[in-house]
Amino acid sequence: MPLDHSERQSRSRRLPDGPAPARERAAPAVDAAPAVAAGPRRFGAALDGSPVPGAAPGPAAAPVPVVLPDVGVADPPTALTAHGCWYPSADPTGDHVAYICDRTGVPQLWSGPARGGEAHLLDADPDPVTEVSWSPDGRWIAYTSAPGGSEHTRVLVVRPDGTGRQVLAGAEPGASAHLGCWTRDGAALSVTVAQPTVLGAHSGGGHMPQDAEPNLAGGPLPEGWAVRDGHATHLGPPAPPARQDTPTGSEPGLPHLTPVPARAAVAPAGVAAATGAEEAGGRLAAYLLDPDGSQAPVLLFSEVGAASLRVCDIGADSRLVLLRRGPRGRRESVLLDRVSGHITFRLPVADGDPWIGRLSADSRNLWLRSDADREFAALFRARLDPDGAARALSVAAEREGVMLDLLTLPDHGRWALLAWNVLGASELESVALPGTGRQDRLGPRHRSTLPHEVVTRMAPVARGGLFAALSGSRRRPGIWEVGGDSTPRRTGWTASDQDAAPPGRPPVRPVPLRCRARDGLMLGGWYYQAPERDPGRPAPCVIHLHGGPEEQERPVFHPLYHEILGRGVDVFAPDVRGSSGWGRSFVDADLGIGRFAAIDDVADCAAHLMAGGYADPLRLAVMGRSYGGYLTMASLVWHPELFRTGIAICGMSDFATFFADTEPWIAQSAAAKYGHPERDRDLLRALSPMSRIDRLRAPVLAIHGEHDTNVPPAESEQFVRAARDHGVPAELLILRNEGHEFLRADNRRLYRRAAADWLQQHLLPDRTGR
């Protein structure tokens, strides 16, 4: 049965404050009034009335909670499909787990006993759930949902017995909210709110002011990195960092600890005073919210024109706050002192999982997953002085040629869980952490033998052990408990392996395949061979391109691939330049004009498949989603002679219209990857598939979610319309109640079948009778 903390639910709770003598100098906050009546406050002034450099003037309202009808704990409905479970978060005892499950056909919030098979649905609304976090005191479960599958998400809380459900943030029209961390005592939850524009509907370059440059706060880019002028590119590794003096205890060659002035402003470095154009792009603001409603929201941090903002941790005394901010490829960690309102430390961190690190229980150590001045992310340790400034920086754990993929620590901070990415597969280990002394050596390491290839999420339990979300090439996502003996045990509500695929169609295990691009860069990927075909003959094949482009193709179960394989078509899923997992230089190799080389990578993969006898040159297709959808369109117009057909899912067809219509914070981040919509206009026009639509020859199917505000549906619509105008067969499938991700079982099934039907029609016409 679910946990019942009803005896504690009426307790008065207070939002955490700093030490009493310093409260008058706290970070800017909304007035102390009941949450439902919290009024606007000027973000641009500190409590002493002095301006905060970089903060935008003008009013902004704090989130207003919305109480929802109680639905209670629902009995498990009959599973409509073989289901998956992921994103676990354990209660303080480790006896119950909240998680996401799609057994009803849509990802929803569930809870179940750690060592039992009974599970309960906590929110029966049909809005897909994307993140989950159980409060440290066990009283609340926080989660993020996407109404209508859109990008405008909201943060909710519910008690473990299914009562008290309310929207904490994101209920306002046009707003969007994202989950942050809890305070250590569970008194408050941090959220990030993407606040609507103040100058009306956004359009054109108003998203990105012409003089705005995505900043790597804390110093200039290392030598060898791309300069964003529309022409420069970065194809090789960064130059080795220059030797420089480092603080006591730091190692030579580590990133230099950027001095932070004692009175540094809260506003991020490089953010100028807000202009009308910037304000039109909206802002990201991080708040502390009290689910009990007894305390008013507290503003932690606000940034105009921000690309991302996440509250990753709050120290035990609620004084230090760890933030992750910045655009893609330029992420950084920021440590904020709430008492003084100053930033005490910052360090570049890796892309990927947003939960970049945690503070130790005494706030004297900061543990970070960072790739600062490195090819591959490692575990960094920053020793902090009493004011939160770093006295020394060191690499605590690293592996040659291997990226630290996931990092998590329990509140006590005595040990850490590390998931390493080894050529796409995961290796999981737990390590004992040193204390506050100068000794950096980690304690004993314990590695777990995983039953499946990839770890996607880890939820530690204070008493020891963890719950891990696992996925593999031959199973649907599930949650496993890893105890003190490091042996994983499948939870009772996770689907068994035999439920992964329909009867008579066993999952196909992919094999790694490497190929070399025309400029010598080595590319990787996974090849899936259709069952019951002659391995000695070239086969009909589709190249599937992942999104990002910083994502990575990993050996996990793909229902789409198995639908295609069941039609007799092989699948090759490569990591072209720009993908993660192969080092930072590989990620950055598509910057600027390097994007043309990424398009050529697709053609080089096709050439390798044909030369190696894998693919039939007359029956080769290309498809992809998100950035992969863009790359599909680009491949069809840059290399029209190679592909018989293409399927573009949620792809960008014209960068000018994409930047004009996407969400402001997405535009800010995308500019760091693709180019500035004003300064790099010529480059972006040259890279847009619409600029070469007259070269399209192959029939194309475009698929899009109707509520996609990341890459709006107009990107597919204009490509299909232009293809038809040029006499090329083209079709468009719009999926209802979906955003950028397809999350509903019926829509996912429709998407898979439509894609497989299209490939079968054009690559195996003898099977379709057409």
Side-chain angles (χ1 to χ4, degrees):
M1 296 296 293
L3 297 180
D4 183 5
H5 295 287
S6 57
E7 293 181 358
R8 298 196 297 165
Q9 287 170 358
S10 61
R11 292 190 305 175
S12 175
R13 310 286 286 182
R14 288 188 57 81
L15 293 182
D17 292 307
R23 283 180 189 166
E24 291 183 357
R25 295 187 294 125
V30 294
D31 295 326
V36 294
R41 178 186 179 90
R42 289 179 59 86
F43 284 12
L47 293 187
D48 61 2
S50 61
V52 177
V64 177
V66 175
V67 178
L68 301 174
D70 282 342
V71 295
V73 174
D75 290 331
T78 302
L80 301 180
T81 60
H83 63 274
C85 303
W86 61 95
Y87 218 109
S89 183
D91 79 329
T93 68
D95 293 331
H96 289 77
V97 182
Y99 59 95
I100 300 173
C101 182
D102 62 356
R103 65 189 298 177
T104 65
V106 62
Q108 292 173 302
L109 178 65
W110 290 72
S111 70
R115 287 160 290 281
E118 185 180 13
H120 297 279
L121 178 63
L122 293 181
D123 188 340
D125 283 352
D127 297 329
V129 174
T130 58
E131 293 180 303
V132 181
S133 180
W134 207 313
S135 67
D137 62 2
R139 300 175 63 245
W140 293 99
I141 299 171
Y143 56 108
T144 304
S145 75
S150 73
E151 308 309 303
H152 288 265
T153 55
R154 58 184 187 174
V155 173
L156 302 91
V157 291
V158 66
R159 294 189 179 100
D161 63 0
T163 64
R165 191 169 58 110
Q166 57 181 302
V167 180
L168 280 188
E172 300 84 359
S176 185
H178 306 276
L179 192 64
C181 68
W182 290 92
T183 55
R184 299 291 177 102
D185 62 359
L189 176 71
S190 62
V191 300
T192 297
V193 179
Q195 295 171 324
T197 60
V198 296
L199 297 183
H202 52 259
S203 62
H207 279 197
M208 289 290 299
Q210 188 163 354
D211 58 351
E213 172 69 19
N215 233 329
L216 181 64
L221 289 170
E223 182 182 354
W225 281 57
V227 178
R228 189 65 61 180
D229 63 358
H231 303 287
T233 187
H234 167 70
L235 292 177
R243 292 292 297 272
Q244 47 190 324
D245 294 334
T246 54
T248 303
S250 184
E251 300 175 8
L254 286 173
H256 182 62
L257 289 181
T258 304
V260 179
R263 292 292 180 236
V266 171
V271 180
T275 65
E278 288 173 315
E279 189 69 358
R283 75 169 79 224
L284 296 181
Y287 289 89
L288 277 179
L289 303 179
D290 174 16
D292 291 315
S294 60
Q295 297 293 314
V298 172
L299 176 65
L300 294 175
F301 193 90
S302 176
E303 183 179 356
V304 172
S308 68
L309 181 63
R310 172 90 65 156
V311 182
C312 295
D313 194 24
I314 300 173
D317 61 359
S318 298
R319 176 177 178 176
L320 296 179
V321 179
L322 176 63
L323 303 166
R324 172 187 178 266
R325 65 167 295 274
R328 291 153 58 178
R330 306 276 193 90
R331 310 291 192 193
E332 68 166 353
S333 62
V334 171
L335 197 59
L336 169 68
D337 182 348
R338 291 185 57 223
V339 173
S340 65
H342 302 152
I343 291 173
T344 63
F345 172 76
R346 55 166 53 96
L347 184 75
V349 292
D351 278 324
D353 186 70
W355 304 103
I356 55 173
R358 295 205 75 187
L359 290 153
S360 61
D362 59 4
S363 296
R364 300 299 295 273
N365 284 295
L366 174 61
W367 302 94
L368 290 169
R369 181 181 62 85
S370 172
D371 62 353
D373 289 347
R374 304 174 61 82
E375 274 294 293
F376 295 91
L379 176 64
F380 277 66
R381 179 194 188 189
R383 286 195 290 270
L384 307 176
D385 65 19
D387 295 324
R391 296 185 291 108
L393 184 69
S394 60
V395 175
E398 61 181 327
R399 294 180 62 178
E400 182 69 27
V402 174
M403 178 178 74
L404 180 58
D405 207 17
L406 300 172
L407 163 67
T408 188
L409 293 79
D411 284 347
H412 56 65
R414 295 191 297 270
W415 42 271
L417 299 167
L418 311 177
W420 300 92
N421 184 329
V422 183
L423 301 178
S426 297
E427 292 187 4
L428 175 64
E429 67 178 3
S430 61
V431 296
L433 299 178
T436 57
R438 298 177 57 82
Q439 179 65 34
D440 284 326
R441 184 174 300 171
L442 299 180
R445 301 189 180 196
H446 301 282
R447 291 190 180 179
S448 299
T449 301
L450 300 177
H452 302 289
E453 290 97 325
V454 179
V455 179
T456 62
R457 184 66 45 191
M458 300 181 293
V461 179
R463 66 167 187 262
L466 74 148
F467 293 93
L470 303 181
S471 189
S473 60
R474 301 173 69 85
R475 65 154 297 103
R476 291 181 181 270
I479 298 173
W480 295 64
E481 183 179 13
V482 183
D485 60 357
S486 299
T487 301
R489 300 176 181 85
R490 184 172 62 88
T491 55
W493 21 266
T494 289
S496 61
D497 290 352
Q498 49 266 40
D499 294 331
R505 191 189 299 175
V508 173
R509 186 184 296 275
V511 296
L513 184 64
R514 306 296 299 274
C515 60
R516 193 173 297 278
R518 63 191 64 186
D519 62 358
L521 185 65
M522 184 64 72
L523 312 175
W526 298 89
Y527 194 87
Y528 297 75
Q529 181 178 292
E532 300 180 357
R533 78 162 182 85
D534 184 356
R537 299 181 58 187
C541 182
V542 59
I543 296 175
H544 184 277
L545 305 165
H546 63 67
E550 304 94 334
E551 295 177 15
Q552 181 186 9
E553 190 65 38
R554 308 190 71 172
V556 298
F557 182 75
H558 290 282
L560 170 65
Y561 294 178
H562 289 90
E563 183 79 33
I564 295 171
L565 293 166
R567 309 294 182 94
V569 178
D570 288 4
V571 178
F572 179 50
D575 287 322
V576 300
R577 70 191 67 206
S579 305
S580 63
W582 303 94
R584 193 171 66 177
S585 296
F586 194 89
V587 172
D588 293 331
D590 67 346
L591 294 179
I593 60 174
R595 186 109 16 233
F596 293 110
I599 297 170
D600 286 340
D601 284 349
V602 182
D604 294 340
C605 287
H608 181 81
L609 294 178
M610 292 184 287
Y614 295 94
D616 182 343
L618 300 180
R619 296 186 294 175
L620 184 63
V622 61
M623 68 180 297
R625 197 195 70 81
S626 191
Y627 175 76
Y630 157 77
L631 212 52
T632 294
M633 298 181 201
S635 299
L636 291 174
V637 298
W638 258 269
H639 302 284
E641 72 286 352
L642 282 179
F643 301 106
R644 186 75 172 269
T645 189
I647 304 175
I649 304 103
C650 302
M652 304 160 294
S653 62
D654 191 312
F655 281 111
T657 54
F658 163 72
F659 274 106
D661 297 332
T662 188
E663 298 290 352
W665 61 92
I666 294 175
Q668 291 283 350
S669 194
K673 193 66 183 176
Y674 304 121
H676 194 284
E678 294 296 331
R679 291 197 308 273
D680 298 329
R681 183 182 301 176
D682 292 342
L683 172 65
L684 293 177
R685 182 184 299 113
L687 286 168
S688 295
M690 288 295 293
S691 68
R692 301 168 64 94
I693 193 67
D694 59 310
R695 299 195 63 195
L696 180 67
R697 298 292 181 270
V700 62
L701 170 65
I703 305 176
H704 225 110
E706 69 168 334
H707 298 314
D708 190 349
T709 58
N710 183 330
V711 179
E715 293 299 303
S716 288
E717 294 168 359
Q718 63 191 8
F719 192 80
V720 168
R721 186 181 304 113
R724 290 174 175 174
D725 290 344
H726 286 81
V728 178
E731 296 183 13
L732 173 63
L733 172 62
I734 296 292
L735 297 178
R736 305 302 178 192
N737 295 313
E738 296 288 4
H740 196 59
E741 304 283 346
F742 304 155
L743 300 175
R744 303 176 190 279
D746 53 348
N747 281 329
R748 293 199 305 269
R749 191 178 305 112
L750 175 60
Y751 155 56
R752 295 195 302 266
R753 291 178 178 174
D757 287 346
W758 184 268
L759 293 174
Q760 185 173 340
Q761 173 187 345
H762 292 280
L763 301 184
L764 297 166
D766 52 316
R767 290 196 183 184
T768 62
R770 300 182 188 179

